[in-house]
Amino acid sequence: MALDAICLTAVVEELRRTLEGGKIDKIYQPSRDEVVMAIRGAGENVKLLLSASPNGPRMHLTKEVRENPAQPPMFCMLLRKHLTGGRILALEQPELERIVLLRLEVIDELGDRVPRTLVLEAMSRRANLILLDAEGRIVDCMRRVDADMSAQRQVLPGLFYRLPEPRPGLSPLIERELAFRGGVESVKDLPLEEKLEQLSRAVGGAYVPTLLVRDGKAADFTFLPILQYGPGTESRPYPSFSELLEDFYATRETAQRTGQKGQE
């Protein structure tokens, strides 16, 4: 599954404890769609992955060693110019949206402390990473969107940033799980508030990083044990969402590379 809004909420809650107040020491862009930030927190140095890949947009701490290009991409150099040495003030997520805003305080060219915002839009094929200035204008973005690409919403330097049209809701996996636990065929037509109440009871006050394993292979991930599949699918708990996401996507990427080699 893609990282849905509720799972992203769980990830953000976990990351706040480590990232808020941390200082950005270094910034890398190992691939077109990924940025890695080395962050010095309270007694702990970590690396934060921000991925705007259409096949797996996400954010989490990472320990994986990624090879960086000899010449940093232009977007990486822009982020280094504006954000290196900056401090992460807060992580914010618009309610039920797959969007995270990293609120930052940085030192500008004049030596003044100024706000900046780095926005991760973790929305599959529309995924993006966008840097905003103090007034909310777009400084630049990983993936520019002009009027030919979208008549409804452009994402270009100089424009004021605006959120995409809201698409609140739950992932198909979670809606099926609510239906299964409630003994009904579907919850699709229920009001969102009622579905969220049911979900709150299922979560029980604590998100659980959960890997779904089928036939010995990682099949999916989510934030609570999944019952709908029965004994054929194991709900394997993880210590953290960062470890869960790191393992899931590393396994998937390895399988994809193996499959590509098999077709050559």
Side-chain angles (χ1 to χ4, degrees), residues 30-248:
S31 68
R32 167 181 165 78
D33 299 322
E34 294 183 340
V35 165
V36 175
M37 293 182 171
I39 297 170
R40 180 153 42 91
E44 183 179 14
N45 296 332
V46 297
K47 292 189 297 182
L48 174 67
L49 172 71
L50 297 164
S51 174
S53 167
N55 297 320
R58 61 199 188 275
M59 66 182 299
H60 57 81
L61 302 183
T62 180
K63 294 182 179 178
E64 182 180 342
V65 178
R66 292 170 169 81
E67 185 175 348
N68 295 298
Q71 178 63 36
M74 290 298 295
F75 186 63
C76 179
M77 295 174 67
L78 178 94
L79 293 181
R80 287 178 177 178
K81 173 184 175 182
H82 286 273
L83 303 185
T84 300
R87 193 167 299 280
I88 300 174
L89 301 180
L91 274 65
E92 301 175 3
Q93 180 190 11
E95 187 175 12
L96 292 178
E97 294 293 342
R98 291 173 292 168
I99 298 171
V100 181
L101 293 84
L102 284 78
R103 302 294 189 184
L104 311 166
E105 181 185 73
V106 305
I107 307 297
D108 67 8
E109 294 88 345
L110 301 177
D112 297 325
R113 296 181 183 275
V114 296
R116 290 287 182 269
T117 301
L118 188 60
V119 183
L120 173 65
E121 297 185 342
M123 301 178 296
S124 301
R125 62 185 179 84
R126 296 183 293 133
N128 211 338
L129 192 61
I130 306 164
L131 178 63
L132 311 181
D133 67 13
E135 286 73 41
R137 290 184 185 272
I138 298 171
V139 179
D140 211 341
C141 45
M142 184 172 280
R143 197 168 281 111
R144 296 182 178 183
V145 180
D146 60 24
D148 291 335
M149 301 169 69
S150 173
Q152 290 75 35
R153 179 176 182 257
Q154 288 80 56
V155 184
L156 294 169
L159 297 181
F160 279 105
Y161 176 77
R162 58 186 178 89
L163 292 169
E165 286 296 318
R167 297 186 179 185
L170 307 178
S171 69
L173 171 67
I174 297 303
E175 290 210 340
R176 292 195 306 269
E177 184 65 15
L178 293 180
F180 177 81
R181 294 188 182 205
V184 297
E185 184 175 343
S186 174
V187 298
K188 183 178 180 181
D189 295 328
L190 289 180
L192 178 59
E193 293 77 10
E194 188 170 340
K195 287 189 277 190
L196 291 176
E197 287 179 7
Q198 293 184 22
L199 181 59
S200 179
R201 291 194 294 270
V203 169
Y207 298 114
V208 179
T210 302
L211 180 69
L212 302 183
V213 181
R214 188 179 302 123
D215 298 326
K217 298 179 181 179
D220 214 334
F221 65 87
T222 187
F223 53 88
L224 80 168
I226 297 297
L227 308 179
Q228 62 187 276
Y229 297 126
T233 299
E234 175 192 357
S235 288
R236 184 179 298 172
Y238 260 68
S240 71
F241 281 98
S242 286
E243 292 174 76
L244 168 66
L245 295 172
E246 180 104 296
D247 282 1
F248 178 84

Side-chain angles (χ1 to χ4, degrees), residues 7-18:
C7 198
L8 184 57
T9 297
V11 173
V12 169
E13 286 187 5
E14 178 180 281
L15 291 177
R16 281 194 180 110
R17 298 191 293 270
T18 302

